[in-house]
Amino acid sequence: MSIESAYQYLYLSAAIVLAVLVGIVLIRSVIGPRITDRILCINMIGTLVICIIAILALRQEEGYLVDISLIYAMISFLTVLILASVYIRTKNKPPEDGEKDTPSEGGKEEGHG
Amino acid sequence: MAEWIRFWIVAAILFAGIFCYVLEVIGIFRFGYVLNRMHASGIGDTMGLLLIVVALMIASGWNFTTLKLLLLIIFMWLTSPTSTHFLSMVEMNTNPYLDRYVRRREKT
Amino acid sequence: MRELFRKWMEGDQDPMESILDISMQADQSRDERKQITHEKRRMLSADPGSQERVEQDRRWFRKIYLAVAVISCISLSLVLLYTVSLMPRYGAENPRTTEVVSRYVEEGIEETGAVNIVSGMILDYRAFDTLGESHVLFTALVCVMILLRIDKKNQRTGYEDYYTIRSDSYFDLSRDPILPAMGRALIPCILLYGIYILLNGQNSPGGGFSGGAVIGAGMILFSAAFGMQFADRFLTLKLCNIVTFVSLAFYSFAKGYVFFMGANGLENHIPKGTPGAILSGGMILPLDIAVGCVVSVTMFGFYSLFRRGSIGMDVDYGRFASGGRKGKLTASSLKDSGKAKGTASFSKDPCKAKGTAFFSKDSGKAKAAGRKG
């Protein structure tokens, strides 16, 4: 067995194991009882996919694929940030109109679902 | 021969990283609450990514791709704790039944 | 900053304590919501006929909805299948899959000067198509602006006051001490990386669209990390309009020049350069920059408009943020305060005075004045 094919098999097996893990994490994100479970799982899937892309970049010997994993990391970070800014309640939110005319209020506090 | 030694080092570090990810995935199923699951997810975000990327850096040798992989580690180590921080803030803020899981410290 | 972190770690001080709301309010609001639905149900049950009518309407609506959904799905899939049946078979002997592709691959580098064939294709052979794409992005931004934008004209209808406060009540991430500290290290790197992707489009994968997306994401991160008001100092609507207009106009003129020269058999004076260098590929690099500007402005504009309804300082936020929250800008409270205090308390602020007049409903004249002026 030559060294190149050994590297190919190594990368392939690592990528397959990581892909199986992505599927398992997806199950957790479906059954996760709270919204934060789901965001956490999406974040973890992001990390796993970053690793898979980095392995793929070495396997194909195309360095530019690492760029894609960097962009992926940035976007998954931005997702968590923006979702946090939507969901976090502050103390001085506008009073009294919280109940009647904020339709998204239900989604905000819907913890279990 | 030196090539094969490098190959076995790469394989060992790579599968150590994958082992971290397996621990992470076991952890998020075994723990019962989000704030506990964050501990498990932190293993993969830091150690798993570090080991896998370091293995790839050794395999790739000394070129521009290695630099980009180093950038990936720096980026992930900066952003992943921040996103975990905000995620725990969301959890503290939106869970109405927080006292079932968390014991708050009394103010002095 | 270091002092703050030390105190935070030792537990003396929690910087988020005065800002965050970690109380059990959710339970209360859930109970209130239950009460509201309970009251609705009681009102319905008081009138026995109404419940049946509502049920009947609902049943009819469900049937019609189901039928329309099934019919539209079937017709859409039939249309798509018919379109697919018209397409030539993949790999068959037709010129699109054999001659065109082979010409791109074989002579692309010579004819366009770009090592990256995709970039040469979308910005040289099919540049007209890319012009349309960037105009589509621009049109989408304009449409979102028409629907969501808050400016001085529609501020005084009353609803926009409410929406401004509502969107501003989203948690401002810059109040957290961690994100600005991290953003100070990270955001310049992201912007630099986006510029690298943008400028290196003719040599490696990337180019206008992806580089612009990275720059736009960096701008979104900037406005999230340092606060909207800080970002408003230079990321204003005027700047967005100028950048979009200049990029699209430059794209049109540059490509029009090339088309005019090519169609009349004249010589193109733009040098191709050596393939692989930064300054190569003729018009590809400037066009990449134009497309990247449009894409980044569109991304930031979408985020900004959906988040709070404006780009830049068109709305004076401080007024709503400080005065609006304390003053309880709901319809009922405004009515009361408007009657009690009149417009005296708001006389310094003409815009808000008109809003009060609109809400008070006691005189048609004030309403009309509020709409006119």
Side-chain angles (χ1 to χ4, degrees), chain B residues 15-102:
Chain B
F15 276 94
I18 286 173
F19 179 68
C20 285
Y21 274 113
V22 172
L23 281 186
E24 173 195 56
V25 172
I26 291 170
I28 61 160
F29 277 91
R30 294 280 295 176
F31 283 130
Y33 184 54
V34 188
L35 293 177
N36 302 122
R37 284 185 200 128
M38 276 174 196
H39 288 291
S41 98
I43 295 174
D45 277 354
T46 53
M47 204 63 201
L49 188 104
L50 175 78
L51 288 175
I52 287 182
V53 173
V54 162
L56 295 180
M57 280 162 79
I58 294 170
S60 132
W62 184 249
N63 52 18
F64 196 57
T65 309
T66 315
L67 211 63
K68 277 190 213 163
L69 288 168
L70 186 68
L71 202 66
L72 186 61
I73 293 178
I74 295 169
F75 190 88
M76 282 302 291
W77 277 28
L78 272 174
T79 57
S80 149
T82 316
S83 55
T84 311
H85 168 70
F86 282 110
L87 207 56
S88 61
M89 207 186 267
V90 171
E91 174 62 28
M92 292 271 286
N93 210 346
T94 57
N95 196 354
Y97 309 108
L98 192 68
D99 283 339
R100 287 183 196 168
Y101 308 99
V102 179

Side-chain angles (χ1 to χ4, degrees), chain A residues 11-72:
Chain A
Y11 293 148
L12 191 66
S13 57
I16 285 171
V17 173
L18 288 177
V20 170
L21 291 183
V22 167
I24 298 170
V25 175
L26 199 62
I27 294 170
R28 180 80 248 181
S29 82
V30 171
I31 64 175
R34 285 186 55 75
I35 184 110
T36 35
D37 278 303
R38 298 167 210 272
I39 303 176
L40 185 73
C41 290
I42 295 304
N43 206 1
M44 279 171 54
I45 289 175
T47 321
L48 285 163
V49 170
I50 287 162
C51 285
I52 293 176
I53 295 172
I55 289 171
L56 190 72
L58 266 284
R59 186 172 186 267
Q60 308 275 45
E61 294 177 354
E62 304 271 10
Y64 61 81
L65 282 171
V66 185
D67 293 1
I68 296 168
S69 66
L70 266 170
I71 296 171
Y72 200 102

